Amino acid sequence: MDGLWAYLGIAVVCIAIGWAGGYYGISFHFQRRFLTVADECSDADSIEPLIDELERRS
């Protein structure tokens, strides 16, 4: 029975690490993409690059 609790604990830790890593990775990707689109909008002095990005994503 002690082995079961150990495996359950390991599973919970692995799930938590995966969840945190996935959240960090997705947040980093979209934050970087947002800054790129924001720079393009600033350079073009228009929201057209934002509209183009929304069309690509949908």
Side-chain angles (χ1 to χ4, degrees):
M1 191 66 174
D2 288 336
L4 178 66
W5 287 112
Y7 285 124
L8 220 60
I10 291 171
V12 168
V13 169
C14 288
I15 289 170
I17 290 171
W19 193 354
Y23 176 78
Y24 176 75
I26 287 174
S27 296
F28 180 73
H29 169 75
F30 283 109
Q31 179 182 17
R32 185 178 48 150
R33 187 66 208 144
F34 173 76
L35 292 175
T36 302
V37 172
D39 286 340
E40 290 174 6
C41 288
S42 177
D43 292 342
D45 198 25
S46 148
I47 63 166
E48 190 173 327
L50 180 60
I51 294 169
D52 292 342
E53 179 66 20
L54 290 172
E55 287 176 353
R56 277 188 292 219
R57 293 288 174 184
S58 60

